[in-house]
Amino acid sequence: PTLWHAALWQNGMIRDLGTLGGPSSFAFLINERGQVAGASYTNSIPTPEGGIPKIHTFFWENGRMVDIGTLGGVWADAGAMNNRGEVVGTSATVSDDQHAFHWSRGKMIDLGSLGGTFSFATAMNDNGSVVGGATHIEDEDVFGFLWHDGVMTDLGALEGSACSVPSSINSKGQIVGGSDTDCDGTGPRAWISENGGPMVDLNTLVPPRSDLYLAEAQFINDRGEIAGLAFLSNGDAHAFLLIPRKGGAANKAATTPGSTRVIHGKLTPEKLAALRTRFANRHGAMGRRLWK
């Protein structure tokens, strides 16, 4: 139970991808070119910061595992990879903050934040546009961001929400995600944003007779079809699929005015720690305790 290796299964055969020098590795992502990204221990020496060895993101191609590295801290984690072999994720910095990163062709870029100390990348399309969440000055709120060609754009939040986090972006620049009122998952609402425009509550774009309350939009494809999590009136959780009709939700979302008025309030250390765990510490099997 203490040794795990990243693996690639293809045509009935499983292949050990190895590690970056440590005892364990995990593969999280694969693209249409067969490139793989994940995380690996780099050695077996526990660090003072987390009590476990250093964790670096890796990129694997044609039998070779490359150490992507970190932003100066002791860990980094892959969040998404596109078909050009670009990887985005989250990493500790030298100052022990947590920042989103973009890696391409051997170069890692710190995407920064919206003024606070905390950011993370959740998705990327084949055009190189990156989405994720970041805090404002003094870590007051977590807003979604869109990063492209070195520029980070604040996507704001739905009215009455303190946290709005993107989950997916397609090649057309349509972004979907979820918001909640207190960063603890209370009052969740699914939303869409197009071309960096204001967020629109998806619950306003579905037929009023629907018994589903759309809590979180998790994926959007290039046809504009959206999948995510919804609740029935009795509280049961169901998966949902939204299929846009011509002249329907997509066009309405582009023209419907949105709001970025939020409930401001400084995040407590406990809430910030919970956010770090919720959006970054996804792979508990590696024993990480770095965000708690």
Side-chain angles (χ1 to χ4, degrees):
T2 59
L3 299 177
W4 298 74
H5 278 199
L8 173 66
W9 183 93
Q10 187 175 18
N11 299 325
M13 301 288 291
I14 191 166
R15 180 174 185 174
D16 186 344
L17 302 188
T19 76
L20 293 175
S24 299
S25 62
F26 286 81
F28 308 138
L29 307 164
I30 188 168
N31 63 17
E32 294 187 9
R33 297 168 61 183
Q35 298 166 324
V36 180
S40 172
Y41 292 124
T42 61
N43 54 50
S44 300
I45 304 171
T47 63
E49 293 85 350
I52 58 172
K54 292 182 179 180
I55 300 171
H56 285 196
T57 305
F58 72 76
F59 174 81
W60 183 95
E61 182 180 25
N62 297 327
R64 181 170 176 257
M65 181 180 284
V66 176
D67 187 346
I68 290 179
T70 74
L71 294 175
V74 297
W75 62 268
D77 189 15
M81 177 171 60
N82 62 19
N83 289 315
R84 301 195 307 190
E86 299 172 321
V87 179
V88 296
T90 313
S91 172
T93 66
V94 175
S95 57
D96 204 30
D97 292 334
Q98 179 175 312
H99 281 188
F101 72 81
H102 176 279
W103 179 89
S104 178
R105 299 180 182 180
K107 184 178 180 180
M108 178 181 281
I109 300 173
D110 186 341
L111 302 189
S113 73
L114 295 172
T117 63
F118 175 48
S119 66
F120 52 92
T122 55
M124 174 175 53
N125 63 20
D126 287 341
N127 298 324
S129 297
V130 182
V131 294
T135 54
H136 279 235
I137 297 172
E138 296 182 353
D139 294 329
E140 284 191 339
D141 308 297
V142 176
F143 287 173
F145 71 77
L146 168 66
W147 182 94
H148 187 76
D149 286 341
V151 178
M152 179 179 284
T153 302
D154 186 347
L155 296 178
L158 289 177
E159 182 178 357
S161 296
C163 287
S164 288
V165 179
S167 299
S168 180
I169 179 172
N170 64 14
S171 63
K172 298 178 181 179
Q174 295 174 307
I175 305 166
V176 296
S179 289
D180 55 71
T181 57
D182 61 2
C183 301
D184 281 338
T186 303
R189 288 181 290 167
W191 54 262
I192 184 171
S193 171
E194 298 191 278
N195 301 315
M199 295 177 181
V200 177
D201 188 338
L202 282 172
N203 289 284
T204 66
L205 304 180
V206 298
R209 65 182 181 275
S210 173
D211 191 37
L212 287 176
Y213 176 80
L214 309 183
E216 183 177 4
Q218 297 168 331
F219 303 99
I220 184 168
N221 63 19
D222 288 343
R223 294 190 296 271
E225 297 166 338
I226 302 169
L229 172 68
F231 293 100
L232 296 176
S233 57
N234 64 2
D236 290 349
H238 280 211
F240 74 79
L241 173 64
L242 297 182
I243 302 174
R245 55 190 174 88
K246 188 175 182 180
N251 289 341
K252 185 176 180 183
T255 58
T256 302
S259 173
T260 57
R261 186 172 66 84
V262 301
I263 301 173
H264 290 280
K266 184 173 175 60
L267 292 175
T268 65
E270 292 76 19
K271 282 191 176 182
L272 187 56
L275 275 171
R276 295 178 186 225
T277 301
R278 177 179 170 191
F279 295 115
N281 193 15
R282 299 168 300 152
H283 313 295
M286 298 191 79
R288 285 180 289 174
R289 300 292 182 268
L290 301 179
W291 298 287
K292 298 182 179 179

